[in-house]
Amino acid sequence: LRGAHNTFILIKGVCVIDAVVAREGILATLVCIDENATGAVSVNWMVKSLGTDRWRLVLSANERKEFSGGAAKDHMQLTDHNFQDSGVFSLAFRPEMDDGGLYMCLVKRRQNILMERVVLLMVLEVTVAPPSPVPQLSTLRLLANVQPDIAVRKITWIAPGDIAMKTEKVPKFGIITKLPQVQNSDDGAYVCMVYPKGNSSNAFFAFNVDVAVDGQQISTAVQSQSVLPLSCPQAPGDYVMLYWRPPDAKNENTRLVHQFDRWRGFTLTTELSNRLQLAGPPYDPQEGSFSFLLSPLIRDGGLYMCEVFSNDNAFSLRTLLTVVRVKARTLPTQLELDCRYSELSQVRRAIWTHPNQSVRLQMDGSPGHITTSIDLPVRAESAGNYTCVILLKNKQTVRATYTVSLHPKSVEVTASSLLPSLSALLLIVPLVAAVVGALLWRRRHISDRGVEQSLSVRSGEAENIYENPEDIRQVTQSHTSTLMKSLSLSLSLCIPPPGSPLL
């Protein structure tokens, strides 16, 4: 059987007949075979619409292989013209909706009836709206109508991935299912399953309905916070709407993140607007030429859909975006490099690389991130550029590099190297004490002299050589400066120079 499926059912409890469901316009075969009915035999195919009692001739072939058929259609024919040798009397044609009904295969030898077989033909009409290819973000409608439907128990629809779809019955039109906001991922074969009435509840007829979604998709990846052009359809438009579906969240609804109406001068902004803007030349939003610039964070990956509307027409372009970010973390004995990436659905592989192939990278991670570690202190052979390479399923590659610098040579500090410096510090302590004591005594001595001379002026006993208080302050500063220089010289003799182990 080609283009149709067979089962056995009861019609009105009268007799068991063969039921066939065939899709409109697809070649179907009504089976009639009796290997014992050979030789000088003739066959008549007749049709009767349900609800009537009159049979009409479809095709007739006598023992001389002469064909006729007053009610036949041009495309109806026997599958085997040598039926007298094979006993195969099957009828093949491409049915239309009004071809449904009861078909009888009557085989005779002279006036004796050798076989009488009745077949119920049900014709399936499938409607896809809008016609394939279906515009993105439109509502896909799949309608299944079977005529005659007297022997149909139920009709169901299955989406790609073996997902059962909700259906409703529309009087005079059949069974409908809908899929709002179709995406490129909704491409594929949808299955219409027709279950006839009868003694077998598991019997069904399955028909594939191919659906294509109109709209190009760009798959790309970019480093976090770098500038990425988000392309829109090239068709000039009246307004543009940009939708976004968060990364790795296929079940989440898309969100409107930007809208611009060039006729009203209206702009809708969202929380993404500080990282998203309409692109300038060669694009001009005021003239209806649209594109966007995005500086994404890692959480801004996902699916972007740019919809451009011109009059009543809509044009769509999608961008599936993976964002990559590399960060370093210093641990007590290691430097850990972490590479994170979003929108895992389009990532095939993630690895770390180093130009020195002798460096063996220890990598660890899980979906969405991969890490590698460098032992501290960094040695010459392990310094350099560490690159996180993300390979997409479309074979596109994005790289994020982190440069590990060679640390200064570490100096080993031992107890023996500290002893000379500690001895020097012990010598400094009494010296500092002596100098400070002398400084304090000198300042007090000068002060006392100043007081004595002041008193002597009042009593007239002696000449005051420090009559001006400013002279007292200058002399004090002079002695203080001399003492501090001596202290500084003493310290320089004892304190090790910069770069010594003590420092």
Side-chain angles (χ1 to χ4, degrees), residues 12-284:
K12 299 181 180 180
V14 176
C15 62
V16 177
I17 64 174
D18 187 13
V20 176
V21 178
R23 187 171 173 181
E24 180 186 26
I26 304 299
L27 185 63
T29 301
L30 305 183
V31 177
C32 182
I33 300 175
D34 186 352
E35 296 178 352
N36 296 321
T38 58
V41 297
S42 62
V43 57
N44 292 323
W45 274 100
M46 294 174 286
V47 62
K48 182 175 73 168
S49 299
L50 294 182
T52 65
D53 295 329
R54 188 171 67 89
W55 290 92
R56 293 176 298 151
L57 181 65
V58 170
L59 184 145
S60 177
N62 59 27
E63 58 274 11
R64 294 184 295 276
K65 298 183 182 181
E66 295 174 344
F67 291 84
S68 62
K73 296 189 175 182
D74 294 338
H75 56 271
M76 288 185 174
Q77 60 183 356
L78 294 179
T79 59
D80 188 354
H81 287 191
N82 296 318
F83 60 89
Q84 292 178 334
D85 299 325
S86 63
V88 177
F89 308 94
S90 302
L91 180 68
F93 65 104
R94 300 179 185 274
E96 299 175 1
M97 287 303 293
D98 58 358
D99 289 331
L102 293 173
Y103 286 76
M104 177 186 293
C105 172
L106 186 63
V107 179
K108 294 183 179 180
R109 180 179 287 118
R110 296 185 177 87
Q111 298 300 320
N112 298 324
I113 298 177
L114 302 180
M115 181 176 63
E116 183 177 298
R117 182 181 181 85
V118 178
V119 180
L120 172 62
L121 174 63
M122 294 175 284
V123 182
L124 169 66
E125 177 187 35
V126 172
T127 303
V128 179
S132 188
V134 180
Q136 286 187 26
L137 298 180
S138 62
T139 299
L140 172 65
R141 284 100 64 196
L142 297 174
L143 187 67
N145 181 30
V146 175
Q147 293 297 331
D149 61 357
I150 187 173
V152 175
R153 180 164 58 90
K154 68 175 181 178
I155 300 175
T156 63
W157 281 98
I158 305 297
D162 200 27
I163 301 172
M165 305 177 70
K166 179 181 178 180
T167 59
E168 293 180 357
K169 186 173 183 178
V170 181
K172 298 182 180 180
F173 290 96
I175 302 299
I176 191 171
T177 186
K178 295 184 179 182
L179 189 64
Q181 290 190 315
V182 294
Q183 311 290 346
N184 270 37
S185 56
D186 296 319
D187 272 351
Y190 291 74
V191 182
C192 177
M193 304 181 71
V194 180
Y195 294 80
K197 296 177 180 178
N199 56 5
S200 176
S201 59
N202 296 325
F204 62 86
F205 305 89
F207 301 88
N208 287 351
V209 179
D210 292 326
V211 173
V213 178
D214 185 19
Q216 297 177 339
Q217 176 169 305
I218 301 171
S219 294
T220 189
V222 67
Q223 291 189 48
S224 175
Q225 297 182 323
S226 60
V227 179
L228 171 74
L230 281 179
S231 300
C232 292
Q234 295 183 357
D238 300 314
Y239 65 98
V240 61
M241 302 176 75
L242 183 66
Y243 294 87
W244 171 60
R245 188 207 69 201
D248 310 307
K250 291 187 176 180
N251 294 328
E252 283 196 36
N253 292 330
T254 57
R255 309 173 190 175
L256 179 63
V257 293
H258 197 96
Q259 180 179 351
F260 175 70
D261 184 337
R262 72 185 184 95
W263 295 101
R264 291 187 176 93
F266 168 76
T267 300
L268 172 68
T269 59
T270 63
E271 70 280 359
L272 195 62
S273 298
N274 60 339
R275 301 185 296 278
L276 177 72
Q277 62 181 3
L278 282 166
Y283 304 97
D284 187 351

Side-chain angles (χ1 to χ4, degrees), residues 348-363:
R348 174 174 294 175
R349 187 176 57 174
I351 59 171
W352 279 101
T353 64
H354 187 271
N356 187 349
Q357 296 183 358
S358 64
V359 176
R360 299 185 63 183
L361 299 180
Q362 300 295 328
M363 287 177 279

Side-chain angles (χ1 to χ4, degrees), residues 454-471:
S454 178
L455 291 173
S456 67
V457 169
R458 292 179 184 177
S459 63
E461 294 178 353
E463 182 182 3
N464 183 9
I465 63 174
Y466 298 111
E467 291 181 346
N468 189 348
E470 180 65 19
D471 294 337

Side-chain angles (χ1 to χ4, degrees), residues 360-392:
R360 299 185 63 183
L361 299 180
Q362 300 295 328
M363 287 177 279
D364 190 18
S366 59
H369 86 103
I370 184 171
T371 62
T372 189
S373 300
I374 302 101
D375 291 335
L376 295 178
V378 178
R379 299 185 303 273
E381 62 271 17
S382 58
N385 292 333
Y386 285 78
T387 303
C388 177
V389 181
I390 306 296
L391 177 64
L392 304 184

